[in-house]
Each structure stands twice: as structure tokens, then as C-alpha cells.
Amino acid sequence: AQSVTQLGSHVSVSEGALVLLRCNYSSSVPPYLFWYVQYPNQGLQLLLKYTTGATLVKGINGFEAEFKKSETSFHLTKPSAHMSDAAEYFCAVSLKYGQNFVFGPGTRLSVLP
Amino acid sequence: DGGITQSPKYLFRKEGQNVTLSCEQNLNHDAMYWYRQDPGQGLRLIYYSQIVNDFQKGDIAEGYSVSREKKESFPLTVTSAQKNPTAFYLCASTFGPESTGELFFGEGSRLTVL
């Protein structure tokens, strides 16, 4: 069975600092990979996704992620944190296009002034 | 604009009452999902449906029921058998002729049982 782990349930960074949120998955086949962001009392919004092709994926709001098959990782980064980035971030995988989604437990990002 | 509409946004009910949460999508998606979210526990799958008039239990289906009579609608009933119904409920959809692979989410419904 596939699973997703996110290292650190809570990450704090200073405004302007690098954001790094970690995601590792276990899967016997190459998965499709997603990062979602959730603001309080709202639904999840897609930040970026990897399906096929280039392993470095750029998303909205300046975020990007790199699929590393050898490390079974899909870490999310942003060069310079903004106060508006404070939210909860979820990594997700699916083994079949558009189906069988598994979510990580989430990482809450705080941005300090 | 296309999207997923959940209602109500906030709902308060007394213990022992059944509650139905609405989810409507105009994305022409075939598959629809219900997730439950509790603090620190991420998203847990309650039920999903890949086609009209068919649905499957997810990981935490006990105490919940669903129907899928129309492609665009997938209501969730939280029954009195659900022991701890207070939570944030999210509806999502995906897959179909125009699928881009990801789940699309509604804005959520927060249920509080008093």
C-alpha cells in the first residue's frame, strides 16, 4: 500500500527565508505527486503537480518541487517566504491518473516577521 | 465559473440528529469524494463514487451514508451512529474526459455537534 510522510508537523521560518517542506512516499510504481495548500476553514488548493516529464515542477505563488525517484521524495521549496504563505501544506500521491489518492498528514507553516 | 459547492459552510446540531451535507459540482467530473479532516490527522476518506448510482466505502465509512443519483451531486449524511461527528468535511472531485489528474476541492463544511 502506498503511504506519504511529511517530516515536521509544524515548520517556522522567518519572512524572506527559504521554505523547505519535506515529502516522502512509498510506492512500488512511479506515482503522480501533488502539493496542496489549505488556509484556515477553507478547502485545499493545488499548488503544483508532477505527472510525467520534467522532474522540477513550478507551481503557483513561487513554489516549486522536485521529484527524486531514487529518494522517493517530492520536497516543496520557495526561495523567500512571505507572510501570506502561512498555511497548512499537504503532499499527496496517486498511483493511477486521477484515482486512489493518499494524503500526507500535513505540515503547518508559520512565517515570522 | 466551474467548481465545487459545499453547503452549509457551518452547521450546528444536537447529539443524535442526522445531518446531510451537500456537495454539487459543475466540472463534469465522474468521480466524487468525501473526506473528513480533524486537527493533526490530515484527510481521511469517508466514501467515494466513480460513477452515478455506485459508491464505495473509504477508510472511515462507519456512521456515514451517501448517495449518487446525479453526476453533479454527492450528498453525505452523518448519522447518529457516528460517535464523534464534529469535524471539517471536504468534498472533492476528479477524473473524466477533461481530467488533469488532480483532485478539486470544495470550501468545506464545518459540523459541530453540541
Side-chain angles (χ1 to χ4, degrees):
Chain A
Q2 53 184 327
S3 65
V4 179
T5 57
Q6 293 182 239
L7 186 62
S9 59
H10 186 200
V11 171
S12 292
V13 300
S14 297
E15 191 173 18
L18 171 71
V19 175
L20 171 60
L21 304 182
R22 299 178 187 274
C23 174
N24 289 86
Y25 65 90
S26 64
S27 171
S28 57
V29 298
Y32 302 102
L33 298 158
F34 310 87
W35 275 101
Y36 286 86
V37 62
Q38 184 183 34
Y39 298 99
N41 289 312
Q42 293 187 24
L44 276 67
Q45 178 185 3
L46 183 71
L47 273 178
L48 48 80
K49 65 182 179 183
Y50 169 79
T51 52
T52 58
T55 56
L56 181 62
V57 180
K58 295 187 185 299
I60 62 172
N61 300 340
F63 284 94
E64 63 181 36
E66 186 171 11
F67 169 50
K68 292 187 176 181
K69 184 178 177 181
S70 61
E71 299 177 8
T72 61
S73 69
F74 191 55
H75 302 329
L76 182 70
T77 60
K78 181 174 180 177
S80 176
H82 191 272
M83 298 296 288
S84 61
D85 295 327
E88 185 134 24
Y89 292 80
F90 292 93
C91 181
V93 305
S94 72
L95 290 186
K96 189 172 181 181
Y97 194 69
Q99 299 181 45
N100 305 117
F101 293 89
V102 175
F103 284 83
T107 296
R108 180 168 301 280
L109 176 67
S110 296
V111 182
L112 308 174
Chain B
D1 282 4
I4 300 175
T5 301
Q6 289 188 240
S7 62
K9 177 73 173 175
Y10 298 96
L11 188 59
F12 297 88
R13 279 295 181 267
K14 293 182 179 179
E15 200 169 324
Q17 289 182 328
N18 288 359
V19 169
T20 297
L21 307 180
S22 171
C23 177
E24 303 277 333
Q25 54 99 359
N26 61 4
L27 299 166
N28 199 28
H29 283 168
D30 293 314
M32 298 186 73
Y33 300 75
W34 274 106
Y35 289 92
R36 170 178 172 143
Q37 188 176 24
D38 297 282
Q41 294 197 44
L43 277 69
R44 293 185 289 169
L45 182 63
I46 304 173
Y47 268 98
Y48 65 101
S49 167
Q50 295 186 321
I51 196 170
V52 174
N53 291 323
D54 188 44
F55 46 83
Q56 286 77 41
K57 294 181 179 179
D59 302 319
I60 57 165
E62 184 176 351
Y64 299 97
S65 66
V66 293
S67 63
R68 187 86 186 277
E69 297 177 0
K70 300 184 296 182
K71 185 176 183 178
E72 58 271 22
S73 178
F74 192 40
L76 173 74
T77 296
V78 185
T79 75
S80 56
Q82 168 52 232
K83 297 200 184 327
N84 185 18
T86 294
F88 191 55
Y89 292 89
L90 287 160
C91 179
S93 70
T94 191
F95 201 61
E98 305 298 324
S99 175
T100 52
E102 71 266 27
L103 277 171
F104 291 77
F105 284 87
E107 288 295 295
S109 293
R110 183 167 297 281
L111 172 63
T112 302
V113 175
L114 305 172

